[in-house]
Amino acid sequence: MKKRPTLRDIAAKCGVSRTLVSVVLNGKEGKISCSEACRQKIRETARQMGYAPNCLARSMSSGRSPVVAVMLHLDVNDLFSGSYDYFNDLFPRLTLELNARGLEVLFVPCRSREEQILRLEKLTSGGLAGAVISNVFPDDYSDFTRQLVNSGVPYTILGYPYGEDCYCIYSKRSYSWLDDVLSAHPEWKNCWLMTRIQKKHILCRYPFKHNYIWLAEKAEPADEILKDPETLIVCAGLELYQTYSKKICHPLLWERSRMKNLIPDGILCHLGSSCGIRAQIARTAAHQVADWLLEDKLPESKQICIKNITEDLK
């Protein structure tokens, strides 16, 4: 079995001390410094020898486990059906990105806010998880967010807990295109976005408070709304569109539709690549947490907004 190269092996080959190799490869020169040429020689030698940092050894010295807990609230039935795009877009990417940095991943599904808080306490206080990547429950996240911030472990929240002081990554989908739609159709006095939250179909009244969907007035899809001819319903996804297209006789939009025949005349349809956005979020979250856990490098900003890729159709 091939011997795994160590810092001492690299130091011997470069003719420098083990301490110098350690600070160069860990990016922590501090009071010890060397020339750029020496730095490059050490890094190149490490690459040629196939050196990989020993995360377990690092965790013993730093007191942090090399395991990242990925806490996602989800519906188990959706997960088992294989049709849960949110999970499929995020979790494999997070795992691969973290594994590439020498970190292991622990999947922690949460079905309620109470379960999420309880499991976070067990993972962080017991030292099992050295870092956490988590999403939050809409409209009910303050307790969990505060506990995560106060846990002392590196973390990143997927989503934007509005008004909370925390490190988070999110995409803020703009629905300003609906202003043009409603201006062109004054017969529609009301506008609601149909989406799914916690397995339930929910209507969010547009315009949203602070232009943020989680803060919007919400309602269940009752007949008085769905059958009101003065109301425009916008479905966030094809499944919702197909479910309600037979129940609503007045205009109904599918916000991501690329099929022009589904879009009423004169209406612009907002297109967003949710898969591409989630890939960016996963990549950014993984590197942010890995830098924090392995290098003690805090994220540069509290909030990172991933821009949507949009296109309009007439």
Side-chain angles (χ1 to χ4, degrees), residues 30-74:
K31 295 180 180 179
I32 302 176
S33 61
C34 64
S35 66
E36 181 61 30
C38 182
R39 264 195 301 272
Q40 291 182 2
K41 181 179 180 181
I42 291 172
R43 290 168 180 163
E44 179 60 22
T45 301
R47 187 192 66 78
Q48 291 177 354
M49 295 178 69
Y51 171 78
N54 188 323
C55 288
L56 182 58
R58 281 185 178 181
S59 68
M60 293 176 66
S61 62
S62 66
R64 287 178 177 171
S65 166
V67 176
V68 178
V70 176
M71 306 183 70
L72 299 177
H73 70 79
L74 46 80

Side-chain angles (χ1 to χ4, degrees), residues 17-34:
S17 70
R18 178 190 176 283
T19 301
L20 181 59
V21 172
S22 176
V23 296
V24 168
L25 294 182
N26 289 319
K28 298 180 179 180
E29 293 193 21
K31 295 180 180 179
I32 302 176
S33 61
C34 64

Side-chain angles (χ1 to χ4, degrees), residues 40-292:
Q40 291 182 2
K41 181 179 180 181
I42 291 172
R43 290 168 180 163
E44 179 60 22
T45 301
R47 187 192 66 78
Q48 291 177 354
M49 295 178 69
Y51 171 78
N54 188 323
C55 288
L56 182 58
R58 281 185 178 181
S59 68
M60 293 176 66
S61 62
S62 66
R64 287 178 177 171
S65 166
V67 176
V68 178
V70 176
M71 306 183 70
L72 299 177
H73 70 79
L74 46 80
D75 179 76
V76 176
N77 292 327
D78 285 344
L79 181 62
F80 290 160
S81 72
S83 61
Y84 197 18
D85 291 340
Y86 179 81
F87 175 85
N88 295 334
D89 288 343
L90 277 177
F91 186 72
R93 288 185 172 88
L94 284 170
T95 301
L96 292 174
E97 293 285 351
L98 291 166
N99 287 168
R101 297 290 297 274
L103 296 169
E104 298 302 326
V105 175
L106 177 66
F107 175 43
V108 186
C110 301
R111 287 152 291 190
S112 69
R113 183 184 64 87
E114 291 74 20
E115 180 185 14
Q116 187 183 38
I117 292 174
L118 179 61
R119 299 193 74 179
L120 174 64
E121 172 64 24
K122 289 183 177 180
L123 289 167
T124 55
S125 64
L128 180 59
V132 174
I133 296 176
S134 179
N135 59 11
V136 290
F137 283 79
D139 301 320
D140 196 7
Y141 47 71
S142 295
D143 290 346
F144 173 78
T145 302
R146 282 193 290 269
Q147 181 175 330
L148 184 56
V149 171
N150 294 330
S151 68
V153 303
Y155 72 90
T156 291
I157 293 176
L158 306 177
Y160 181 21
Y162 192 87
E164 298 292 321
D165 186 25
C166 59
Y167 291 104
C168 64
I169 300 173
Y170 64 101
S171 71
K172 195 170 186 180
R173 186 183 299 276
S174 172
Y175 288 94
S176 58
W177 58 278
L178 276 173
D179 294 337
D180 296 332
V181 173
L182 296 173
S183 295
H185 295 269
E187 67 273 20
W188 298 330
K189 310 298 183 184
N190 303 295
C191 180
W192 295 80
L193 176 74
M194 175 87 71
T195 187
R196 283 183 51 161
I197 300 177
Q198 304 290 302
K199 198 181 176 180
K200 295 181 179 179
H201 294 175
I202 297 294
L203 289 166
C204 301
R205 185 189 287 275
Y206 182 83
F208 311 138
K209 183 180 179 181
H210 298 304
N211 195 32
Y212 191 56
I213 188 172
W214 282 10
L215 298 180
E217 176 191 343
K218 295 180 178 62
E220 294 185 0
D223 285 347
E224 58 264 30
I225 298 177
L226 297 180
K227 295 184 178 181
D228 180 5
E230 295 186 343
T231 297
L232 172 66
I233 305 293
V234 181
C235 294
L238 177 59
E239 178 187 356
L240 287 170
Y241 180 89
Q242 292 174 332
T243 299
Y244 288 92
S245 60
K246 298 178 181 179
K247 300 179 182 180
I248 303 175
C249 58
H250 57 86
L252 177 73
L253 284 180
W254 169 29
E255 64 153 338
R256 296 175 191 163
S257 174
R258 293 185 181 273
M259 305 176 191
K260 293 184 180 181
N261 61 323
L262 294 180
I263 305 171
D265 292 339
I267 293 180
L268 300 179
C269 182
H270 178 84
L271 300 177
S273 175
S274 61
C275 180
I277 294 166
R278 288 171 187 160
Q280 294 180 61
I281 288 176
R283 189 181 308 111
T284 305
H287 285 281
Q288 182 166 287
V289 164
D291 286 345
W292 191 347

